[in-house]
Amino acid sequence: MITHEQRAALIKAAIEVRERAYAPYSNYQVGAALLMADGTMVTGVNVENSSYGLTICAERTAVTTAITAGHRKILAVAVATDNAGSPCGACRQVLTEFAGDVPVYLVDKVGNGRDTTLYTLLPDHFGPEHLT
Ligand code: THU
């Protein structure tokens, strides 16, 4: 169960880290924050490239940072954008590798937006059980 304090802290972290997004081509800055099983928060931003297809989304930056730091289990996700936009399909799939049907908080730069869950965003996702 995520507390109100944890939810607020996660959203604040996503909004704050969004300032560091590198998005000179789209000008669509994204900040993501993950709450990990031990209570740690891990953040990420989108990092674009002049070879546009090499861009990495904020959510996947956060996931790779979390795994690099030794975390494996995501308890909640916050994503901050200009307009509380929804995560792309690739990021939804990558998040499911390390999260169950966790809360996902989608917010704009002042924290307005909506709460959803990962399985609402990506029902019937591909998982390791399909590889047997
Ligand atoms: N972007 C993200 O960082 N996360 C998403 O889930 C959707 C899109 C980024 C990629 C690109 O830098 C910019 O937003 C516009 O697509």
Side-chain angles (χ1 to χ4, degrees):
M1 190 59 194
I2 310 301
T3 66
H4 285 302
E5 290 74 21
Q6 286 174 314
R7 178 183 176 281
L10 202 63
I11 288 171
K12 183 168 184 278
I15 290 171
E16 285 178 358
V17 78
R18 178 173 172 266
E19 299 289 320
R20 300 198 200 122
Y22 179 73
Y25 306 107
S26 73
N27 202 32
Y28 190 76
Q29 291 86 8
V30 186
L34 309 176
L35 177 66
M36 308 309 297
D38 69 350
T40 304
M41 289 191 300
V42 179
T43 57
V45 296
N46 53 332
V47 182
E48 298 188 345
N49 192 274
S50 53
S51 178
Y52 298 162
L54 301 183
T55 291
I56 181 166
C57 293
E59 298 90 329
R60 280 178 290 145
T61 303
V63 168
T64 56
T65 301
I67 297 306
T68 303
H71 304 288
R72 288 285 170 91
K73 192 169 163 51
I74 298 169
L75 299 184
V77 180
V79 182
T81 60
D82 189 46
N83 53 6
S86 207
C88 80
C91 288
R92 297 175 193 201
Q93 175 65 32
V94 169
L95 287 164
T96 65
E97 188 76 19
F98 304 105
D101 191 17
V102 301
V104 180
Y105 313 123
L106 305 176
V107 297
D108 64 15
K109 57 192 139 201
V110 294
N112 293 324
R114 68 190 175 98
D115 291 3
T116 183
T117 75
L118 191 54
Y119 289 179
T120 302
L121 292 172
L122 190 66
D124 201 20
H125 64 273
F126 187 83
E129 68 277 13
H130 297 114
L131 293 174
T132 56

